[in-house]
Amino acid sequence: MQLAHDHTKSSLSALTLAAIGIVYGDIGTSPLYTMQEVFDHKHGLSLTPENILGIVSLILWGLIFIVSLKYVTLVLRANNRGEGGIMALAALTLESVGKNSKMYFPLVILGVIGASLFYGDGVVTPAMTVLSAIEGIKVATPALKPFVVPITLVILIALYAVQSRGTATIGKFFGPVMVLWFAVLAAMGIYNILRVPAILEAFNPIHALEFLYYHRWAAFIALGAVVLAFTGSEALYADMGHFGAKPIRTAWFLIVFPALGLNYLGQGALLMIEPTAVSNPFFNQLGDWSIYPLVVLSTMAAVIASQATISGAFSMTKQAISLGFLPRMKIIHTSSKEIGQIYIPVVNWLQLAAVVGAVIGFGSASNLASAYGIANTGTMLVTSILTFFVIRYGWKYNLALCIASTSFFLLIDISLFSSNAMKFFSGGWFPIALGFGICVVMLTWRRGRSLVFDNLKKHAIPLEEFLESLFISPPVRVAGTAVFLRGEADGVPHALLHNLSHNKILHERVVFITLHNREIPWVPFSERIKVTDLKNNCFQVDVYYGFKNEPDIPNALALCAPFGLEFEPLETSYFISRQTIISSPGGGMAMWREGLFVTMSRNARDAADYYQIPSNRVIEVGAQVEI
């Protein structure tokens, strides 16, 4: 079976090191800003020992319940043939309930919402992490405060500018840098815990419960900042296909969780004895001498966290294209060895524009914190809902067990999302607006494709009946092989009708090829091809792809050799119908959505290029299709 990586060839230690570098960049940089934001004046929490213990306890038990139990223990089991992420989970959910289920379409909408929120969070994460890291310089030298935003922009623009070169080289340094980062987090935490051992009482969940009970509304508002400690949880799931569940679990329990827990305890201890450190608890942990080294190290960690988010957006987009939620785009493979390392120019530059806008518009990590969290908690909420349908209808678990295993996490997610929703007008609108726009685009493309397919199917001429009538009085046949692309709902390809009408000829061998996108990540080569003999040296070839397979028609045709079909590249011509979509009154969507779909259709990547067909062997035939 074709896989992105062969985990059997890499040791557990190597995969664990790589997982630390890629998976945990986001959640690993949360100590930069979480405690500072929690005790920000706008939340109205005083720096009393009881409040500090309550907050640290909430963070510790949140890491245990949300990350350790929900994601690392439960959600990582809900893999779609080894792949994870909200799109993979949505596809697995839809496969579990079946297309005839009344829940199918609502779950499609839910999956699209989750994916859209992921994109919104992917814009805020680079801006937030890099800004937080660079703001360390103003702790050491307040006079440098005006340079924080410009330096942040330079770093981010440079990061996005080198994306086309791929992460193959820089990725080798991600793991060691992040291991050093987590080691420093743990060391700083231990240093301050030894100064105030009483902070260890935060392991007692009673402190968290008392904080919630006595503060109530203020505690509810504070949850919107506490959740910053858990942002990045989705990366555990999204990157499962790269490393496997075991290395991710090993990295979390042996390195990441202990380091994060120790650092949050250390920051709490620091605030107990030095309340003035609340201006930036992270950079004040060791004193003035450590600030500049920490700025350098934290900037490196922030760039790694941003890189993981950018790569995740590329991967998510590729999956969405394969599942029919986005139009074809130019995808560049930046590694000859790893198929998962891709670069999508359109996504890269659009995301950079949004990130730059966020940095300039919000101006500081504290302001961005209001925007950070709402999209992430929304995605976490969607994940919990979809997981229920997987374990109930996919794994066939008992209903009571399914409810028990997901309702607890659902309650936590609803609480966190509700608290973050309070920040909507103070910045939370930004990722929600981005997510809403992407959601509209994805649903419009899916609906538009459905209308086009319905229209083509309605006017389609059945292929087998057409061929039967054609060979009653066959046309002149010329040497070579003609390959006609036809969609799942198509009958006779328009290109074939055009060729017969104008040239009055037919090639000596005719192959009709149809691509089928399945809602699984990978389709093995043994199941990739189905060949049907239509007689008179005409053949139907069905090619099946998963949403992480790379469409490549010449390579797919090479797999037909065992079926008696061999193709000589110089003797094979590819006929493609170049469809021009035009809107029509009453087409099934609002006119503005039809216009959006038409625009996307006209700007979609060329089919021949997308399917890796040699341009000198392509013959395109124009056709208009109404919606």
Side-chain angles (χ1 to χ4, degrees):
M1 181 174 180
Q2 182 183 355
L3 294 172
H5 303 273
D6 188 347
H7 300 312
T8 63
K9 295 181 180 179
S10 300
S11 66
L12 177 62
S13 58
L15 287 172
T16 301
L17 180 63
I20 292 171
I22 300 296
V23 174
Y24 291 108
D26 191 355
I27 196 170
T29 52
S30 295
L32 280 168
Y33 43 76
T34 300
M35 291 293 286
Q36 177 186 359
E37 180 60 23
V38 168
F39 287 105
D40 186 272
H41 64 87
K42 60 190 174 187
H43 294 138
L45 293 178
S46 56
L47 276 174
T48 63
E50 293 77 15
N51 286 348
I52 294 172
L53 282 172
I55 289 296
V56 175
S57 185
L58 275 175
I59 292 174
L60 290 176
W61 285 98
L63 291 173
I64 292 171
F65 286 134
I66 296 174
V67 185
S68 299
L69 293 182
K70 176 185 172 181
Y71 280 94
V72 177
T73 303
L74 175 62
V75 177
L76 283 185
R77 295 186 60 212
N79 67 84
N80 193 338
R81 277 74 170 181
E83 291 294 328
I86 191 68
M87 289 299 294
L89 180 62
L92 183 60
T93 303
L94 297 176
E95 181 185 22
S96 299
V97 302
K99 290 188 176 181
N100 295 325
S101 171
K102 294 180 180 179
M103 293 301 300
Y104 188 86
F105 183 71
L107 289 173
V108 168
I109 301 297
L110 196 61
V112 171
I113 290 174
S116 301
L117 291 174
F118 177 88
Y119 280 111
D121 183 63
V123 168
V124 180
T125 295
M128 179 73 177
T129 53
V130 177
L131 256 179
S132 299
I134 302 303
E135 283 183 350
I137 63 175
K138 71 180 184 182
V139 176
T141 310
L144 295 177
K145 182 178 179 179
F147 298 97
V148 169
V149 170
I151 293 174
T152 298
L153 291 176
V154 169
I155 292 173
L156 287 170
I157 291 172
L159 176 63
Y160 279 88
V162 300
Q163 289 303 305
S164 60
R165 300 182 182 181
T167 59
T169 301
I170 192 173
K172 297 177 181 178
F173 301 100
F174 281 7
V177 169
M178 291 307 296
V179 168
L180 175 61
W181 169 255
F182 287 117
V184 171
L185 289 183
M188 291 193 299
I190 292 172
Y191 169 75
N192 285 291
I193 290 171
L194 292 175
R195 298 171 69 190
V196 189
I199 192 63
L200 294 175
E201 294 180 25
F203 277 110
N204 186 345
I206 295 298
H207 290 289
L209 296 175
E210 287 181 344
F211 175 80
L212 293 174
Y213 178 77
Y214 288 112
H215 288 279
R216 300 189 183 181
W217 179 251
F220 175 72
I221 299 299
L223 285 177
V226 170
V227 76
L228 298 177
F230 320 131
T231 55
S233 301
E234 282 290 325
L236 303 175
Y237 187 38
D239 289 316
M240 180 169 56
H242 294 284
F243 309 104
K246 189 173 182 179
I248 292 175
R249 290 189 176 113
T250 301
W252 173 254
F253 287 115
L254 291 185
I255 297 176
V256 180
F257 178 44
L260 291 176
L262 287 170
N263 196 261
Y264 285 120
L265 286 165
Q267 290 190 44
L270 174 67
L271 293 177
M272 282 186 170
I273 56 175
E274 296 182 23
T276 55
V278 72
S279 60
N280 199 312
F282 179 83
F283 287 103
N284 283 311
Q285 287 182 90
L286 297 180
D288 294 342
W289 68 268
S290 66
I291 292 178
Y292 287 114
L294 283 178
V295 168
V296 174
L297 182 59
S298 61
T299 300
M300 295 171 66
V303 168
I304 292 172
S306 302
Q307 178 62 59
T309 303
I310 298 167
S311 300
F314 294 158
S315 179
M316 176 79 73
T317 301
K318 185 176 182 296
Q319 293 180 27
I321 292 170
S322 298
L323 290 171
F325 288 104
L326 287 174
R328 294 186 301 269
M329 300 181 193
K330 185 176 184 180
I331 299 176
I332 300 172
H333 288 267
T334 58
S335 171
S336 59
K337 297 179 180 179
E338 305 293 345
I339 194 171
Q341 293 185 9
I342 58 176
Y343 168 66
I344 305 179
V346 172
V347 175
N348 186 68
W349 300 119
L350 286 177
Q351 190 178 49
L352 173 60
V355 170
V356 169
V359 171
I360 296 175
F362 287 91
S364 70
S366 180
N367 292 336
L368 261 174
S370 298
Y372 203 26
I374 188 169
N376 190 274
T377 53
T379 307
M380 291 164 59
L381 178 59
V382 171
T383 296
S384 294
I385 297 173
L386 296 181
T387 301
F388 168 80
F389 287 93
V390 170
I391 64 177
R392 172 59 179 157
Y393 297 100
W395 300 351
K396 308 296 182 184
Y397 282 8
N398 177 271
L399 178 60
L401 179 61
C402 295
I403 293 175
S405 61
T406 57
S407 58
F408 175 68
F409 300 120
L410 192 62
L411 178 62
I412 294 176
D413 292 334
I414 291 174
S415 300
L416 295 176
F417 179 75
S418 299
S419 177
N420 276 273
M422 301 294 294
K423 302 187 293 184
F424 180 84
F425 291 105
S426 60
W429 60 268
F430 181 70
I432 294 297
L434 290 175
F436 177 78
I438 294 169
C439 184
V440 169
V441 167
M442 295 175 76
L443 291 177
T444 297
W445 181 256
R446 184 178 176 88
R447 175 59 176 160
R449 288 179 75 248
S450 177
L451 292 172
V452 168
F453 288 156
D454 289 344
N455 199 345
L456 290 173
K457 187 175 181 179
K458 182 170 59 176
H459 297 94
I461 303 172
L463 180 61
E464 293 187 10
E465 295 178 12
F466 174 81
L467 292 177
E468 185 178 344
S469 63
L470 177 66
F471 287 107
I472 293 176
S473 178
V476 175
R477 307 197 74 164
V478 297
T481 297
V483 177
F484 293 91
L485 269 68
R486 58 189 294 261
E488 295 181 43
D490 292 358
V492 180
H494 181 82
L496 173 60
L497 296 174
H498 186 277
N499 189 49
L500 288 171
S501 174
H502 292 273
N503 300 320
K504 315 297 184 185
I505 59 169
L506 192 67
H507 287 71
E508 61 180 355
R509 185 170 63 173
V510 179
V511 175
F512 302 97
I513 186 168
T514 302
L515 306 184
H516 303 266
N517 290 311
R518 299 180 62 186
E519 293 177 343
I520 60 175
W522 310 98
V523 175
F525 288 119
S526 59
E527 302 173 13
R528 185 72 56 84
I529 299 294
K530 177 184 176 183
V531 177
T532 304
D533 190 345
L534 301 177
K535 301 178 181 179
N536 298 298
N537 215 20
C538 297
F539 302 89
Q540 169 66 42
V541 176
D542 293 285
V543 185
Y544 298 89
Y545 286 118
F547 56 76
K548 289 187 77 69
N549 284 126
E550 182 68 15
D552 190 325
I553 289 180
N555 281 346
L557 293 178
L559 298 176
C560 296
F563 299 93
L565 284 179
E566 295 187 2
F567 296 85
E568 292 292 335
L570 297 180
E571 297 178 1
T572 303
S573 299
Y574 299 87
F575 290 79
I576 299 176
S577 294
R578 186 179 66 254
Q579 296 175 344
T580 300
I581 310 298
I582 58 174
S583 34
S584 59
M589 290 192 295
M591 288 301 295
W592 68 269
R593 291 186 68 194
E594 287 193 11
L596 176 61
F597 177 74
V598 169
T599 300
M600 287 191 291
S601 299
R602 291 173 179 171
N603 288 280
R605 186 183 179 188
D606 180 76
D609 186 24
Y610 184 75
Y611 296 125
Q612 311 296 315
I613 302 174
S615 58
N616 62 333
R617 306 305 302 169
V618 174
I619 301 173
E620 289 192 344
V621 178
Q624 286 190 340
V625 179
E626 289 188 351
I627 58 171

